[in-house]
Amino acid sequence: GAVLNPCCFVDFHSKSWTCPFCLQRNPFPAMYAEHISEVSLPAELLPACSTIEYILPSQCSPPIFLLVLDTAIIEEELDQAKDSLQQSLAMMPQDALVGFITFGAMVYVHELSSTALPKAYAFRGAKEYTSQQVAYQLGFGQKNPAGSGSQ
């Protein structure tokens, strides 16, 4: 699904936005569309509000967290990020679904379900992939899309 965030392209005329991750165009909900303008933005579109917490109804699916870490940082910052990630994981509900992606020269999608044999899917940072190619490599695709080949 699409994620409303500060990097989205907003079309104020049509009251819609485009997700930069999946390129899906979406209409704003009525309560946003009614008030949105270039000077009146919802918090999700403000660069200062890159982390937003939502209050969910008590009866919902397990929460899903996607953790993304830039590994092209100095060792001291990487150690601090590691500590923050460990604290975050410790505070998550036991039934939470967690995804972990690291990126530097390569992008790695880490599979967290197996503790015996860690597994990560690697994608070259300099190569462009279609969403179908990524889905296939992660095991979600139906067939091998043209040009997906090996990494």
Side-chain angles (χ1 to χ4, degrees), residues 7 26 49 95 129:
C7 298
N26 307 277
C49 299
D95 64 341
Y129 298 89

Side-chain angles (χ1 to χ4, degrees), residues 25-108:
R25 188 179 176 103
N26 307 277
F28 278 106
M31 64 183 200
Y32 280 19
E34 191 175 309
H35 303 287
I36 195 166
S37 72
E38 292 172 3
V39 294
S40 177
L41 297 172
E44 292 93 336
L45 293 173
L46 300 174
C49 299
S50 61
T51 300
I52 296 182
E53 294 185 34
Y54 296 93
I55 298 173
L56 300 174
S58 59
Q59 294 182 6
C60 62
S61 301
I64 300 171
F65 298 91
L66 181 59
L67 307 171
V68 181
L69 177 64
D70 181 352
T71 58
I73 56 178
I74 61 174
E75 188 172 343
E76 180 180 307
E77 291 175 343
L78 198 55
D79 288 340
Q80 291 172 350
K82 179 182 171 184
D83 289 341
S84 294
L85 287 171
Q86 288 174 333
Q87 289 175 20
S88 296
L89 288 169
M91 294 189 305
M92 290 180 188
Q94 290 296 315
D95 64 341
L97 302 174
V98 181
F100 186 47
I101 298 173
T102 57
F103 66 95
M106 299 279 287
V107 175
Y108 293 94

Side-chain angles (χ1 to χ4, degrees), residues 7-19:
C7 298
C8 290
F9 171 75
V10 176
D11 183 342
F12 294 102
H13 180 69
S14 69
K15 306 289 187 182
S16 63
W17 58 279
T18 302
C19 176

Side-chain angles (χ1 to χ4, degrees), residues 123 129-143 145:
F123 298 91
Y129 298 89
T130 66
S131 58
Q132 291 85 7
Q133 289 171 320
V134 172
Y136 175 76
Q137 292 300 325
L138 295 176
F140 302 127
Q142 296 294 329
K143 59 180 182 170

